[in-house]
Amino acid sequence: MAFQVLAEGCDGGDCPTFFIDPGTGVVRVRGYDPNDSTRELDVDIPPAQWARLVAQLPR
């Protein structure tokens, strides 16, 4: 997978970030580890589930 940045939460360094793999549509969400603030964790969300989540956001 070749992820591209969709949105970043800060200028440089570690920060929450949204990525997408244009080939598969998988969205990767990077966020802080709730058990260790010095680490970040990635969660991959399949395209159908991502679309369902986005559809629920207020406009």
Side-chain angles (χ1 to χ4, degrees):
M1 289 188 207
F3 285 94
Q4 297 175 349
V5 173
L6 284 175
E8 296 178 283
C10 65
D11 294 325
D14 296 336
C15 54
T17 306
F18 289 122
F19 302 90
I20 190 165
D21 179 334
T24 65
V26 170
V27 173
R28 177 169 288 169
V29 178
R30 177 169 295 158
Y32 298 111
D33 181 343
N35 299 312
D36 181 354
S37 62
T38 64
R39 289 179 22 144
E40 292 180 321
L41 301 173
D42 291 345
V43 175
D44 287 354
I45 304 172
Q49 284 78 10
W50 179 255
R52 192 174 318 133
L53 289 169
V54 169
Q56 295 176 55
L57 294 173
R59 298 188 188 246

